[in-house]
Amino acid sequence: MKLPALKTMAKVPDQINRRDFLKSGGAAVTLTLAPGITVMAFGGEASAAANPATRWGLLIDVNKCAKDCDACVTGCSVENGWKMGGNPETDAQWIRKVDLTNKQTGREVSMPMMCQHCEEPPCVDVCPTGASFKRADGIVLVDKHTCIGCRYCMMACPFKARSFIHEDLEDQKSYAPRGKGTVESCTLCVHRVDEGGIPACVEACDATGHGAMMFGDLKDPTSDIAIALASYASVGLRDDLRLNTGVRYSNL
Amino acid sequence: MITRLATILVLSGLLGAGLFGGAATAQEHSALLPVVPKATGEAHPEGNAFMRINHMKLLRHDRDDTMRNGNRDIDYSLKECVACHVQTGADALPIPINSEGQFCSACHEFAAVKIDCFQCHNTRPELNETQALLSRPLPDAAALSAYLDEVTE
């Protein structure tokens, strides 16, 4: 996958220096405390941090999504360590399969639903602590460190995409910490995306051979997803709300 | 705030004395002070004294940097603290780092600090990290006896 952050920096080399310099804030402290230690020892590679020139999104081809397949749901649950433990009222659901039937035509479709990563997210508008936020690259997240568990965001979300954790948990994934009393939802696998990877659901869907899910940068006109969006009709769910969702569906 | 500061100063002072060969003997040391389990890997270039006083600020700063800016290349990552500072039990499996006397609770119990980090963050390294721990070469006889000497000193 192309990393726009790296691309930009390749064009403007003097930005690298500035970035490295800014990054070394902590190291500068170190420098005075422990002479002889160089800034570079703490710098390391520039990471693909949230970049405002990027907007991550998904395109789901409903025709390719098989009714009896839930590989994306399993893939997400294994990756992020949430389980449906038999209490459907309260279990976490970062992603679910939804089956639709058109009453007029009888056409049946099946598709995955998750946080739609809105450009204008209602969950962010209502959050009293600023825990619900949108990253510069369009990924909508809960900062669980500031979440007080009020659940306004769950009510504001038109897609019922968020869950609340009701029970004490143990043995979470180290890259997906989760705990009682906070709200959570699809993170677009931000821990993978930041390292140049793709979300677990997309990977799982690809592995089944269905290839119904495409992940990429909506703002990069040369990305597969932007080309597909420019070539074929697609919709965002509840487009009437003008949330400009980052997840779009084709053949719905 | 003044009492908190005093706690830190006393704690770091005492620990410093204990660690850097002050007058305290091993027995006095364990009676007065939290026993901080030994870490694996390289020590902090900032030094232990700096880490004792500042680890919470460093963690908070880098936490926001990861969460908000997506920076994964941080110096003070909680999962990395766990990976280096976790102890292995008699069964060679990692002991939860927040259980009694373990790294993230030994001092905190002493100073009456409560942290909620481990309601969400795993208290043990991921399995692959655990395997890395298990596959560490066993110390040779000389290193082992040197270590034992140091412990019983």
Side-chain angles (χ1 to χ4, degrees), chain A residues 23 33-34 37 42-43 45 47 49-50 130 133 135 142-143 145 171-174 177-179 191 194-195, chain B residues 45-46 50 63-64 66-73 75-76 79 118-126 129:
Chain A
K23 258 170 65 80
L33 282 163
I37 309 237
F42 302 96
E45 298 257 306
S47 66
F133 73 106
R135 286 198 343 171
V142 180
D143 183 342
H145 302 106
D171 234 8
Q172 299 89 331
K173 302 287 179 194
S174 66
R178 311 174 54 232
H191 58 284
D194 283 339
E195 275 160 5
Chain B
E46 303 87 337
F50 180 82
R63 168 194 92 182
D64 292 345
T66 300
M67 204 61 240
R68 301 271 162 173
N69 309 327
N71 187 0
R72 302 273 152 187
D73 186 20
D75 294 334
Y76 306 99
K79 53 180 178 263
F118 297 110
Q119 281 175 20
C120 293
H121 288 269
N122 201 330
T123 56
R124 283 172 288 203
E126 217 78 57
E129 287 161 19

Side-chain angles (χ1 to χ4, degrees), chain A residues 75-94:
Chain A
C76 174
S77 135
V78 169
E79 174 76 12
N80 293 298
W82 57 272
K83 286 186 263 313
M84 301 219 270
N87 191 351
E89 293 273 297
T90 56
D91 280 345
Q93 281 185 11
W94 290 26

